[in-house]
Structures are given as C-alpha cells and as structure tokens.
Amino acid sequence: MKAHATPRRRKKDEGSAAVSIAVVFPAIGVLFLALAQAVLVSVAQDVALGAAEEGLRVARARHGTHAAGHQAATGFAHHEPVLQTPTVSVTGGDAITVRVTGSAPSLLPGVRFRVERAVRGARERFTTPHQP
C-alpha cells in the first residue's frame, strides 16, 4: 500500500500571508486612529457649542450679566474633560456673543486641534403694547 503523500506547497507562495498582513495591518491601524481622532474633535466641538449656548442662556436673561454668562460657560466647559484649555469670552450689549475656544485631545504627539464655537442672541427684555 502506498501512503498518501501530502501535497507540496509551491515555494513562491510561502510567506505570502505574512506579507499581506504586513501591508494591510498598518493601513487599518491608521484608519482606526483617524476615526478615533475625528470622534475626539467632534465631541470637543459639541462641548464647546454646549458651553457657549449655556453662557448665552444665562447672559441674555432679563437680569443676566456678562460675568454670569462667562461663569456659566466656563463651568460647563471645565465639566467635560474632552475640551482642553477652554477659554470663554462674552461680548455685546443688546446682542450678546459668547465664544468658547479650546483644543481637542490629540492622538498624535505635537499635533493640536483647535476648537472654536460662538453663539449670538438678543438680550431678553420685556415690553408693553405701547412700547416697542
């Protein structure tokens, strides 16, 4: 009886899987890091926008002040760690603008992603039918 011989591999195919992995794996890693970085920037932008809206809500109220709006926006921005080094400015008279700037966390050393969001709204005031 003749033993079944195992089929021999062709010499040129040996190691082709390792080469394929060596080429594909870094590309997948870069795509994953790019996706994660995009998410971090997006969340930081959302936090900056939320902080600006909170500051505007407080500052434009009937008895609201720029200082109260600044404090509200700063408190909101510092509550979320994804917005790094936030700064807040509140300006305006009848139309108030709240601007929040900061940076998003970076997965790449030495690269900084600046985030800035601003909102604007009219100061609330009460009028009577005879007063515009």
Side-chain angles (χ1 to χ4, degrees):
M1 284 186 131
K2 211 175 194 187
H4 292 312
T6 57
R8 291 189 148 224
R9 285 181 155 182
R10 299 163 100 194
K11 293 274 186 197
K12 68 178 184 177
D13 288 341
E14 288 182 12
S16 64
V19 171
S20 296
I21 289 174
V23 170
V24 172
F25 185 72
I28 291 173
V30 168
L31 287 175
F32 177 75
L33 286 175
L35 176 66
Q37 185 63 65
V39 168
L40 286 172
V41 170
S42 176
V43 170
Q45 289 174 341
D46 288 346
V47 169
L49 181 62
E53 288 174 344
E54 179 66 12
L56 179 64
R57 183 188 67 79
V58 171
R60 70 185 285 216
R62 184 169 184 220
H63 297 292
T65 63
H66 284 54
H70 186 277
Q71 183 179 6
T74 302
F76 188 100
H78 283 294
H79 183 70
E80 299 292 332
V82 74
L83 182 62
Q84 298 175 337
T85 62
T87 59
V88 177
S89 69
V90 181
T91 58
D94 289 337
I96 298 173
T97 302
V98 179
R99 184 176 313 277
V100 177
T101 60
S103 61
S106 176
L107 299 176
L108 302 171
V111 177
R112 188 169 179 192
F113 295 95
R114 187 168 191 264
V115 173
E116 180 176 344
R117 289 291 183 255
V119 293
R120 181 182 169 117
R123 181 178 296 279
E124 292 179 1
R125 59 187 179 100
F126 292 100
T127 60
T128 62
H130 304 292
Q131 179 187 18

